[in-house]
Amino acid sequence: KEIEPLLRHLSAQQTQLKPDRAAIENAALIRQEFSANVSHELKTPLHVISGYAELFENGLVKEEDIKPFAKKIHAESLRMTKLIEDIIELTKLDNGGTEMKWEKCDFYSIAENAVDTLESAASDMNIKLIVNGENAPVTAIPQMIYSIVYNLCDNAIKYSQPNGYVSVTVTQNDHYTVLTVKDTGIGIQEEEQKRIFERFYRVDKSRSKEVCGTGLGLSIVKHAVMIHKGNIRLNSVFGKGSEFIVTIPNYPGIT
Ligand code: ADP
């Protein structure tokens, strides 16, 4: 009888421990799967690069093939660089962004900078890129805010037909800042909408696989939003376009 409360306490503790252990095991599994995917994704471009380089080494490349083969090597090495950069960024996020500094900054001007970098990619496809909004002071990790806007906007351009529109809007109230990135692009089917936030996931259908990408952009965005205690929503109609809406508290440390 005396030890009954103790037993009850212990069993309560055990049920509490069980989900913890499950979470740890699950995290280990996810890490393992991620490493396997990284190795696979890096091996593919490296394989192409070394294959073409070997042809050059053995003098097997005809004059007219020199340029296209060199172009292929160049493209694949750029792809590898982008993959490595994205992986480094994700690893930083996995560590909770602890080595990055929270600062007072203006969400709107960061958004403008990110969009500026993509101006030429948009004009190459004759896509109108518009930024709306006004100053929006926040306490945030500026590199991460940049990365959120950059990745969403980069996708909005990449997964659009020529002559489309991409609009980026930043609004703010007393508590929250809202970023909306809207495109008139290819859209995302309902059943794909959850999966696109997974690491390395890319939609197979439509033409999105022909577009250059690592499949890591949206997982970086989702993670960065999470660190800012915000949320991300998606409205999309297949064939019509998509709208990503990010909401973050102005002062995540306080709210
Ligand atoms: P990446 O663009 O490098 O493939 P992301 O993680 O950024 O990787 O996106 C995952 C997938 O989601 C993309 O491959 C694409 O199929 C789909 N996607 C993302 N953004 C859009 C968009 N704005 N319109 C249509 N499809 C999109």
Side-chain angles (χ1 to χ4, degrees), residues 69-111:
F69 285 13
K71 204 172 166 181
K72 190 84 185 141
I73 291 177
H74 189 196
E76 290 298 316
S77 41
L78 286 180
R79 190 172 128 71
M80 260 186 101
T81 308
K82 178 78 174 97
L83 256 166
I84 290 168
E85 280 169 1
D86 279 358
I87 290 162
I88 289 173
E89 196 164 1
L90 256 182
T91 312
K92 279 187 193 159
L93 290 166
D94 278 341
N95 297 334
T98 40
E99 67 239 66
M100 293 193 232
K101 272 217 335 250
W102 289 80
E103 281 170 33
K104 284 188 175 144
C105 51
D106 176 25
F107 197 120
Y108 182 71
S109 39
I110 295 173

Side-chain angles (χ1 to χ4, degrees), residues 34 39 49 53 65-66 74-76 83 160-161 189 253:
F34 182 60
S39 317
I49 294 169
D65 285 337
I66 291 178
H74 189 196
E76 290 298 316
L83 256 166
S160 281
Q161 284 95 358
Q189 272 169 330

Side-chain angles (χ1 to χ4, degrees), residues 155 158-159 183 187-188 196 201-203 208 213-215 217-218 242:
N155 282 346
K158 279 194 309 192
Y159 303 110
D183 66 61
I188 304 151
I196 57 168
Y201 187 81
R202 309 194 69 208
V203 177
S208 69
T214 60
L218 285 179
S242 310

